[in-house]
Amino acid sequence: MRKLLNTLYVTQPDTYLALDGENVVIRKDNEELMRLPLHNLEGIVVFGYTGASPALMGACASRGIDLCFLTPSGRFLARVSGEIRGNVLLRHRQHQIYDNEKESLAIAKNMIAGKVYNARWVLERALRDHEMRVDASLLKTTSQSLKQSITNAYECIDLDQLRGVEGSAAERYFSVFDQLILQNKEFFAYRERSRRPPLDPINALLSFAYVLLAKETASALEAVGLDPYMGFLHRGRPGRPSLALDLMEELRPVIADRFVLTLINRKEVVADGFETKENGAVLLKDGARQTVLRAWQTRKQEPITHPFLEEKIAWGLVPHSQALLLARYLREDIDEYPPFMWK
């Protein structure tokens, strides 16, 4: 269990939530694990299927406390929302910003600056930990180039210019990505980014990790009452969770990319875990996919200290913390959206 920005996250499996007076009580196997006064909470997010009592659902609805249910892996299931909670106003504000390029640009700049900062950090971490095994000069040069891209992002005057800065920075980052692969380089050699379909094993892993991250980011936005389909950098398109794609930009390098590199460098995935289709698409076999999913769940439980909140949370709650901060910004509770910049 974790209380973050007045939202209670229940991540322990097989727990049941009940109401006792003015308190939410969390139980497991008839044992009380925690109780918190409802008046201290703005929301409750439950990862799992065990559920909550009708009395608690009614109390949350009447008090304007969002009670949100996600699967153990983080996929959105449902939300119980009270009448007095301002989700309609929050979404209305989101729509206003969507229609105003200047306001959209202000948020998008921070998200892209966060992405480039984190990409640079991935390179700097490789230099620190494996300087003798990588081309240090090449990584240092690329890192300095990415540092300039952060400045360029903040100087952009429109969204198209910002997309150009992001694309150029991503191209430079991925041009040295092969340097970060330290094991089985012949099989996992990285040449270029290929998406639909992925044309080599590392692109297959990256695409799969991005899908997992996108789903969890969309669920996090749903949990705080935002519309995951109306973005600020990625514009609205039927069937595309544009705001989820916006929010995950800053998280790609430190959550998805580092996760894939860890899988390869620790030899958790190997050559026989992939298959090549007739059209050249490279896909994960079922066994390898299960290995990746188990490792993803383990990774989500690892603790970190959030660089902005300065609180200890699990990696799996990072999308939720950022969704909460974005909602806080839209409600004008904070002056600026703070991107996740890992230190």
Side-chain angles (χ1 to χ4, degrees):
M1 280 74 69
R2 180 71 187 174
K3 185 170 174 287
L4 178 66
L5 293 177
N6 295 325
T7 296
L8 174 66
Y9 291 91
V10 183
T11 57
Q12 187 167 339
D14 303 322
T15 53
Y16 184 77
L17 280 68
L19 181 70
D20 184 5
E22 293 296 309
N23 301 296
V24 55
V25 179
I26 302 170
R27 298 191 178 108
K28 182 176 182 179
D29 298 330
N30 295 321
E31 177 185 356
E32 183 176 313
L33 302 180
M34 177 186 288
R35 66 170 52 217
L36 286 171
L38 284 175
H39 67 261
N40 287 344
L41 297 174
E42 293 180 358
I44 303 171
V45 180
V46 183
F47 292 78
Y49 298 107
T50 306
S53 70
L56 178 63
M57 289 190 231
C60 288
S62 65
R63 291 165 173 79
I65 300 170
D66 275 356
L67 176 58
C68 182
F69 297 94
L70 310 181
T71 68
S73 63
R75 182 172 58 82
F76 178 80
L77 290 173
R79 185 198 306 112
V80 178
S81 298
E83 294 181 359
I84 62 173
R85 181 66 184 269
N87 284 342
V88 171
L89 297 178
L90 176 63
R91 292 202 178 197
H92 178 63
R93 179 60 181 149
Q94 179 186 355
H95 295 172
Q96 286 180 319
I97 293 177
Y98 173 84
D99 289 331
N100 186 315
E101 180 165 338
K102 182 178 179 180
E103 290 188 287
S104 293
L105 180 63
I107 299 173
K109 281 181 179 181
N110 282 3
M111 290 175 169
I112 294 306
K115 176 181 182 177
V116 180
Y117 177 97
N118 289 329
R120 183 170 183 250
W121 182 88
V122 170
L123 303 187
E124 292 290 332
R125 181 69 178 264
L127 279 167
R128 188 192 74 184
D129 295 345
H130 308 289
E131 186 172 4
M132 303 304 294
R133 303 181 64 183
V134 299
D135 186 334
S137 176
L138 179 60
L139 291 189
K140 288 177 182 177
T141 300
T142 306
S143 176
Q144 285 300 116
S145 175
L146 293 178
K147 184 178 181 180
Q148 180 59 45
S149 293
I150 298 173
T151 301
N152 295 344
Y154 283 121
E155 293 175 348
C156 289
I157 60 174
D158 58 43
L159 289 171
D160 284 339
Q161 187 179 8
L162 181 62
R163 294 185 189 105
V165 170
E166 185 276 330
S168 178
E171 183 177 356
R172 289 194 297 276
Y173 167 68
F174 278 113
S175 73
V176 298
F177 200 73
D178 191 64
Q179 290 288 320
L180 310 180
I181 301 167
L182 306 177
Q183 299 289 341
N184 202 0
K185 287 182 70 76
E186 291 185 3
F187 184 76
F188 286 107
Y190 181 85
R191 298 175 183 83
E192 62 181 356
R193 186 78 179 99
S194 57
R195 298 172 177 81
R196 302 182 184 89
L199 299 176
D200 56 54
I202 193 165
N203 272 294
L205 286 169
L206 286 170
S207 292
F208 189 50
Y210 291 159
V211 167
L212 295 175
L213 181 58
K215 288 182 177 179
E216 297 194 7
T217 307
S219 293
L221 292 166
E222 288 270 14
V224 300
L226 288 167
D227 183 351
Y229 288 87
M230 183 160 287
F232 304 126
L233 178 66
H234 297 82
R235 306 309 283 173
R237 181 186 300 173
R240 184 174 75 173
S242 297
L243 187 60
L245 296 178
D246 285 356
L247 192 63
M248 72 177 279
E249 288 290 358
E250 65 207 58
L251 306 179
R252 286 176 188 258
V254 288
I255 294 184
D257 296 354
R258 287 195 68 228
F259 171 72
V260 167
L261 291 168
T262 298
L263 289 175
I264 295 170
N265 292 336
R266 291 183 179 176
K267 299 183 179 179
E268 295 182 48
V269 289
V270 292
D272 63 4
F274 300 84
E275 60 180 337
T276 303
K277 299 295 187 180
E278 291 182 359
N279 65 350
V282 177
L283 305 176
L284 286 159
K285 294 180 180 178
D286 288 342
R289 188 179 298 110
Q290 292 303 315
T291 297
V292 172
L293 288 171
R294 284 193 296 269
W296 181 262
Q297 291 302 107
T298 299
R299 170 68 168 164
K300 285 165 58 178
Q301 299 303 315
E302 294 179 5
I304 64 162
T305 298
H306 192 285
F308 178 78
L309 300 173
E310 298 182 346
E311 291 187 35
K312 283 191 175 182
I313 63 173
W315 269 108
L317 293 182
V318 171
H320 295 271
S321 69
Q322 295 309 116
L324 278 169
L325 289 168
L326 179 58
R328 287 284 177 97
Y329 170 69
L330 297 186
R331 290 192 176 101
E332 300 183 351
D333 293 335
I334 54 178
D335 294 332
E336 186 177 19
Y337 167 70
F340 183 82
M341 292 184 169
W342 184 231
K343 299 177 182 178

